């Protein structure tokens, strides 16, 4: 058994990250526990300087680098649905992933994967045309890119149609519905805060391929990568505990693109 | 003896503050210790939703509300110098303070003060035309607004010229030069991290009107308001300690605009 | 008979408007023909400097000034639907109208009206909660503000509920459906380009209270203000012809808020 | 004798360019006359959709495509100096050129050149560290990129140091100082509006290698590419006249990167 642990990183901005009074950088604490880093590309979070610093951080920790493109919505952190045409989404993704690919190239880092962010992620779960647009954009950048998405989602199907390798993603700290989709953040119980439960769900998801849905039913879930959230207090410690528990359960923790 | 304690607040963005997985909001922890809140106005940080929430928070704690206008530079957090004409600065400040005044009015809160942020703050210390532009903008909004600035700075002089009340500001956690100006953040030793020293400096500044400069010399400093930083770890606790130490030294801690 | 002629203005940006190689400013050419100016407030177009210059231009021509708030979407010109909660819309509108009100106050100009822009305009036509949010925001700024909206739309109803005066708006160069709503810009025939036809429709709308819908049916339409588009080539000339034709038809052309 | 004719293009935004009521697109009218297109990359102007459309337009006309990166300053059109460190500039340029390179790759177009925009252009003329940062960024993207710059400027020297091919640029409609630098736009006479004079200057610059400075002195100027401005009324016609006059003077008009 094998799993990739991914986290969203690089969501700060240069001025505060680099400033002399920078808060302790949560990303650095997370890196030892993850194997894939989803780097924000400047549309919903991050900026060129943060992108460079985050790629360098991931590289130093041997963590694979992926792009985390979102809607152009800094204020709303890319979590607000924006009604645009599929070709707009394709343009957004080509632009952002192209920018990160160049920043990676400057450090000899080739991108491993693409994972849409926030509202774009959610819309690409259910909207085929939008999912195809994301996949087309990834193909333009690099045919070897791995597309991350919810098992059974349109984005995973779109990746397959486009000839891309895909990775099915699970969320240990998010509640699931009986149909295997995530409970939206706006609903109660969407995020699981108890670390014990999160760790236990992570192990069951990876080892047993199941998760308990919010209605109590058991959902089968085959995943290749597990998302660890980095923006909550205690996130780094939780990620470390998840990794330890997985290793203790004889799961190999390794980047999805690693041979 | 009497002092106002001010802090920069409202520097987050709606999506992360309001989201179900929001980090514990540092501003809320700070409010019990301060008497004046400098609310970011959307150009370098903050957004309409955060502004509304922050005004409500200050109001609930009986903390006076002021505007903290900056350069239009979300990415750089308003800390990068932008070369614009004084009339551009006037437009920037009228726009931002006008927006916050409206958000305040919706809650029955009248603004108490204006304190420029970051690079705009630094440039208004030494540039007379720019300082006059800030003062003119404040007059447009409300002639009763109090302008915050470094003692002896152009901004304080500009406020006086414009007929505005001014408040001289001190920084307990920032190093001073022998001439009473702040050591820029880009230089070593600019920010003092040891809470013991910060608390001691705060009391000496307020009670004795002196601060030790970075070259060891003693600087005389008459201040009306003391800035407490809120964006560092332990900031709320430090603010609480500063307030306690001031009260213990028989200093009345009160908003500068309170009668 | 009497009509107000309004146009969207102030949609440029300072650097290009003020620069030495600025293109001839279309707004200036339009001013002699209109009676109400809808000034962009920086979210979908415009910026503080353009807002100041545009208010000054309107003032010099005796044109009433109103706010034209939109979604925070510079890239999409505010024409893309953004899914936000009604309280977010209220915050957006308070912020933008508050900013413009301050810029107006600096020149002794009190705002006459509020007209939502683009996707916000369209959504407020049909979404009651959103329309109420816009109306509440206007009330916060100034209870005398006049809310512009399509006859029969939710925004006009919301204005009435909030105790605001409202003005029903017609569009001479936009195609109507049989139910009195506008044909969306994305559909063929949405915009009428032939000046002859536009002028004729303007006169019939104002004098006779009717317009021919895209399906050939005749729609009754009682309007208080007629929108003249300013961003098309020949816009100023067209506006002048519309005004002349209205005057020739014995219609008094006057700002809706003028006594 | 041979010259490249370049112009800044793609400075609009998707919503207005693509909308059904889009103004006639100036870029399309310019394309038949130029040989190199400097495409804005989203920081000071343009956006992913406009970039895609502009690359397609250039490709259809056989015009070489280059990147026109600027400061992150949509409001100020990148014409305002922003004080950032050289490594920030490097990040800005890698990001923008990387994004455009990806958009080009999607259409089978490889970038020919990089030309900094506005304040970044001006600062890179005189600031060696900044010029080196731009050159380093170009090398990261593609070692075959040609760096455009004023003859004798730091940017041309930086390109040479970095092993890049460079192209010396002249401006037919801008006034020169006796030292061969441009008269800043903020000064009177900076832009020459008379088409006759502009055409004549273009021919003299290219054929004779001289230009008359604003003080009347004659300046020697060896150039590889001539900038034609596209954002002024009549720009396309002027560009066509310049091209015709050059051809009539036996100058070969050809992209600088063409064999």
């Amino acid at each position: 058994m094998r799993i990739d642990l991914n986290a969203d990183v690089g969501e700060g901005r240069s001025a505060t990250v680099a400033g002399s009074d920078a808060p302790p950088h949560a990303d650095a604490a997370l890196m030892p526990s993850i194997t894939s880093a989803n780097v924000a590309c400047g549309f919903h979070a991050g900026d060129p300087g943060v992108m460079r610093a985050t790629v360098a951080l991931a590289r130093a920790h041997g963590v694979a680098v992926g792009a985390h493109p979102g809607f152009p919505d800094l204020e709303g952190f890319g979590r607000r649905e924006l009604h645009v045409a599929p070709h707009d989404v394709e343009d957004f993704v080509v632009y952002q992933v192209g920018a990160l690919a160049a920043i990676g190239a400057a450090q000899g880092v080739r991108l491993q994967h693409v994972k849409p962010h926030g509202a774009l992620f959610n819309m690409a779960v259910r909207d085929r045309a939008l999912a195809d647009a994301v996949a087309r954009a990834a193909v333009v950048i690099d045919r070897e890119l791995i597309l991350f998405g919810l098992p059974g989602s349109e984005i995973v199907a779109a990746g397959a149609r486009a000839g891309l390798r895909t990775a099915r993603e699970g969320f240990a700290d998010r509640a699931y519905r009986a149909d295997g989709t995530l409970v939206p953040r706006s609903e109660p119980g969407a995020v699981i805060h108890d670390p014990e439960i999160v760790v236990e769900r992570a192990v069951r998801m990876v080892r047993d391929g199941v998760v308990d849905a919010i209605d109590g039913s058991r959902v089968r879930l085959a995943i290749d990568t597990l998302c660890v959230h980095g923006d909550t207090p205690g996130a780094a410690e939780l990620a470390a505990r998840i990794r330890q528990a997985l290793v203790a359960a004889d799961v190999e923790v390794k980047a999805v693109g690693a041979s």
Side-chain angles (χ1 to χ4, degrees), chain A:
Chain A
M1 258 176 311
R2 170 177 165 175
I3 194 76
D4 176 46
L5 289 182
N6 79 77
D8 301 348
V9 293
E11 296 181 337
R13 47 185 173 175
S14 295
T16 43
V17 169
S20 57
D21 58 349
H25 198 346
D27 289 353
L30 205 59
M31 286 292 171
S33 301
I34 63 173
T35 48
S36 291
N38 317 315
V39 181
C41 298
F43 273 36
H44 71 279
D47 60 41
V50 171
M51 289 162 75
R52 177 184 37 76
T54 307
V55 168
L57 189 67
R59 185 174 179 273
H61 284 86
V63 170
V65 174
H68 199 37
F71 280 128
D73 174 22
L74 268 185
E75 181 179 319
F77 196 52
R79 288 190 179 156
R80 306 191 290 211
E81 297 204 351
L82 187 71
H83 281 226
V84 290
H87 71 83
D88 292 321
V89 165
E90 187 175 347
D91 294 339
F92 293 166
V93 177
V94 170
Y95 183 100
Q96 292 178 76
V97 185
L100 182 66
I103 287 170
Q107 304 184 38
V109 171
R110 184 177 176 183
L111 302 187
Q112 174 199 246
H113 66 283
V114 172
K115 172 182 166 178
H117 166 84
L120 181 57
F121 179 92
N122 295 331
M123 291 166 83
V125 164
R126 57 179 198 262
D127 183 327
R128 179 178 168 141
L130 227 147
D132 278 333
V134 173
R136 277 197 307 273
V139 166
V140 161
I141 304 295
D142 183 348
R143 293 182 168 278
E144 304 296 319
L145 282 168
I146 302 170
L147 201 53
F148 281 24
L150 281 188
S153 66
E154 285 292 346
I155 189 80
V156 167
R161 275 193 296 275
L164 291 171
R165 192 173 152 196
T166 58
R168 296 157 301 173
E169 186 180 25
F171 294 79
D173 67 349
R174 290 290 300 276
Y176 280 80
R177 288 174 168 152
D179 64 357
T181 61
L182 295 177
V183 174
R185 282 172 188 278
S186 54
E187 295 183 14
V191 179
I192 298 161
H193 295 287
D194 184 331
E196 298 287 335
I197 299 177
V198 173
V199 170
E200 193 207 311
R201 284 168 77 89
V203 173
R204 288 197 67 213
M205 249 185 228
V206 176
R207 194 190 50 197
D208 308 330
V210 293
V211 67
D212 290 333
I214 202 163
D215 67 356
S217 64
R218 177 170 301 179
V219 180
R220 295 218 60 85
L221 205 69
I223 62 171
D224 307 301
T225 182
L226 188 69
C227 184
V228 175
H229 282 110
D231 53 353
T232 41
E237 200 195 351
L238 179 58
R241 285 182 58 187
I242 289 174
R243 185 172 186 141
Q244 283 163 359
L246 287 166
V247 168
D250 275 331
V251 175
E252 186 185 16
V253 178
K254 206 170 182 179
V256 72
S259 53

